[in-house]
Each structure stands twice: as C-alpha cells, then as structure tokens.
Amino acid sequence: MQSITPDGLRYIARTAEDWPFGDKPRQRAYEMAGRTRTMETAAFLEYFRQGPRRGGRGLKPKPRTKKPQ
C-alpha cells in the first residue's frame, strides 16, 4: 500500500487536468464537513487506481557531479 502526503495531494489537485473534484464542469463538488472540504471516497480511490502514479519525484535523480574549477 502506498501513501501520499497532504502537500502531495494538494499539488495534484492544483496541477492535474483530470482531477475529478472542484467547481469546473465535469468535476464532482467537494463536500463540506465544518470548514473542511472532503471528497467522495469511492471517486477519490478510483482516480488513483485508474492510472499511473501521479506527482512525486519520479525516477531516482542522477548523482551530482563536481563542476570543473
């Protein structure tokens, strides 16, 4: 099982064109619980099940090389 940080989730929500929640057409509305926005659990899980991992650092970065002086 993989996990995501709250910052990672907010980044995906801001940048992913296919994010299923929000106020735009074809998006599901957030539900409010007090002052907190929540998402329909089934739709949230389906979003992450249908495609490759989104966000994150991707492949292991190349090691740093020393700059010639």
Side-chain angles (χ1 to χ4, degrees), residues 22-53:
D23 299 327
K24 297 177 184 172
R26 297 187 180 184
Q27 287 183 320
R28 297 172 185 260
Y30 287 104
E31 300 293 328
M32 296 303 292
R35 296 183 335 195
T36 304
R37 293 184 300 175
T38 63
M39 297 166 270
E40 181 185 332
T41 304
F44 175 80
L45 294 175
E46 182 61 28
Y47 176 75
F48 287 99
R49 284 187 187 126
Q50 36 176 269
R53 184 173 155 212

Side-chain angles (χ1 to χ4, degrees), residues 3-4 12 21-23 31 38-39 41 49 55 59-60 63 67:
S3 63
I4 187 169
I12 292 170
F21 300 98
D23 299 327
E31 300 293 328
T38 63
M39 297 166 270
T41 304
R49 284 187 187 126
L59 299 174
K60 186 176 179 181
K67 294 181 183 180

Side-chain angles (χ1 to χ4, degrees), residues 9-25:
L9 184 58
R10 284 188 287 270
Y11 177 79
I12 292 170
R14 283 191 315 269
T15 61
E17 292 182 16
D18 63 341
W19 183 245
F21 300 98
D23 299 327
K24 297 177 184 172

